[in-house]
Amino acid sequence: MRKLPWSDISLDHKDRTTGLGRLEIRHLKTVAFRYLDYPGARQVRRVMCRRKDLTSKEITIQRLHFVTSLPLGAATGEQLASWIRGH
């Protein structure tokens, strides 16, 4: 999934929160393919989370990939981000 053209894919949702002594910025991108090497898969989603500790100023970046059978348009970027954060 790292080889997908993520830099060319438009942003579905951006979220910014502050809490627990840190600032978090999350970007969600979605790409659909006719064929993915997962049975029933229709889309791949990437969430990139950038966290800054407000005390130490340390920054961490985490990239998470999700494969789903949801068809395109079944949920908005905001709904998907909420489902992923609540998981």
Side-chain angles (χ1 to χ4, degrees):
M1 286 182 239
R2 288 182 178 175
K3 294 181 181 181
L4 295 173
W6 291 111
S7 61
D8 298 332
I9 299 168
S10 62
L11 191 63
D12 285 335
H13 182 70
K14 182 177 179 179
D15 187 64
R16 180 184 171 125
T17 57
T18 305
L20 302 174
R22 64 185 181 198
L23 167 69
E24 288 189 14
I25 300 171
R26 287 172 296 284
H27 294 175
L28 177 103
K29 291 185 174 189
T30 304
V31 63
F33 286 95
R34 288 180 179 241
Y35 173 77
L36 291 172
D37 197 17
Y38 293 91
R42 294 189 179 175
Q43 299 179 62
V44 176
R45 303 176 193 288
R46 183 183 81 173
V47 176
M48 186 173 72
C49 183
R50 191 171 300 204
R51 291 183 186 97
K52 180 178 182 181
D53 185 298
L54 298 176
T55 304
S56 69
K57 308 299 184 208
E58 179 183 356
I59 295 174
T60 57
I61 297 172
Q62 181 180 33
R63 289 175 184 85
L64 305 169
H65 295 89
F66 299 87
V67 176
T68 181
S69 61
L70 281 175
L72 263 176
T76 66
E78 186 176 359
Q79 288 173 315
L80 294 167
S82 175
W83 294 340
I84 291 167
R85 286 212 26 103
H87 179 59

